[in-house]
Amino acid sequence: MKFFADTAEIAEIRELAATGLLDGVTTNPSLIHKSGRDFLEVVKEIAGVVAGPVSAEVVALDYDGMMREAAVLRKLGDNIAIKVPLTPDGLKACKALTSDGTMVNVTLCFSAAQALLAAKAGATFISPFVGRHDDVGFDGMALIADIRLIYDNYDFPTQILVASVRHPIHVVEAARIGADVMTAPPKIIHQLFKHPLTDSGIASFLKDWQATGQKIA
């Protein structure tokens, strides 16, 4: 499963990229607003740091507006994936853009029916929001399982990009189901390293080593 970072903070992206674990980045207007920087400037910088796909979201709601904004965003890097909402105009833009060789991330997916429509429109990625789905009393991971089954039934190449990830269990469950990608804030990715037995094991080994009085270098 590919790991994308859901952030617009360049320092966090560079840190994760250095681990070799980062396969891409997802952004949205809200994340870039929090960074306090120019939208286009941030997206271009991220695209230069990460080799994998960088999702940049349009803000227009009509087809013509989306296509105009997409034309600007595509120029920011060869690895830009245009992020469009799951609406009739969004899927129309998706079809036009993917037909022209552009990666498209269809976002704000909350049902398997919506995911089916996005796949038929040629989406590169579909972004079901599992955390937000859970928030309103639905099972976000059941949604991922339904989408996986449907896509496998018809050999759709659209990649399932699990979004709105709230904790490491979301990541593990998505991997068990067979999601292609997950995107999460850097703090969630760092939590994947954590386990109390790892911490206690390191402490025990270090104590025993120090007792020997030896040095490696």
Side-chain angles (χ1 to χ4, degrees), residues 5-11 13-14 17 22 24-28 31-32 35 37 39-55 76-77 79-80:
D6 195 34
T7 182
E9 295 295 335
I10 299 296
I13 292 169
R14 289 187 186 279
L22 191 62
V25 172
T26 54
T27 68
N28 60 50
L31 289 172
I32 294 179
S35 76
R37 297 178 57 197
F39 178 83
L40 297 179
E41 178 184 283
V42 172
V43 173
K44 184 175 183 178
E45 187 171 355
I46 294 172
V49 172
V50 180
V54 175
S55 291
L76 300 178
N79 55 339
I80 295 294

Side-chain angles (χ1 to χ4, degrees), residues 124-187:
T124 312
F125 303 102
I126 182 67
S127 289
F129 280 36
V130 294
R132 293 193 195 184
H133 209 57
D134 291 347
D135 289 345
V136 293
F138 292 92
D139 186 343
M141 301 319 299
L143 171 60
I144 303 304
D146 285 345
I147 298 171
R148 179 75 280 159
L149 176 62
I150 291 169
Y151 283 11
D152 288 348
N153 281 347
Y154 299 99
D155 293 324
F156 284 122
T158 300
Q159 297 181 49
I160 302 172
L161 196 168
V162 179
S164 189
V165 169
R166 300 284 175 78
H167 45 68
I169 297 301
H170 274 155
V171 179
V172 174
E173 287 299 310
R176 288 180 60 189
I177 292 167
D180 303 285
V181 190
M182 78 88 200
T183 188
K187 68 176 182 179

Side-chain angles (χ1 to χ4, degrees), residues 66-84:
M66 290 180 193
M67 294 303 291
R68 284 194 300 270
E69 292 176 3
V72 174
L73 294 172
R74 290 166 70 179
K75 295 177 182 177
L76 300 178
D78 293 337
N79 55 339
I80 295 294
I82 305 299
K83 204 171 180 183
V84 300

Side-chain angles (χ1 to χ4, degrees), residues 86-144:
L86 213 160
T87 62
D89 278 7
L91 294 188
K92 183 179 178 182
C94 171
K95 185 64 175 178
L97 290 166
T98 55
S99 295
D100 194 31
T102 300
M103 292 185 291
V104 175
N105 179 356
V106 178
T107 190
L108 292 169
C109 173
F110 293 97
S111 77
Q114 290 178 322
L116 176 57
L117 293 176
K120 288 181 67 64
T124 312
F125 303 102
I126 182 67
S127 289
F129 280 36
V130 294
R132 293 193 195 184
H133 209 57
D134 291 347
D135 289 345
V136 293
F138 292 92
D139 186 343
M141 301 319 299
L143 171 60
I144 303 304

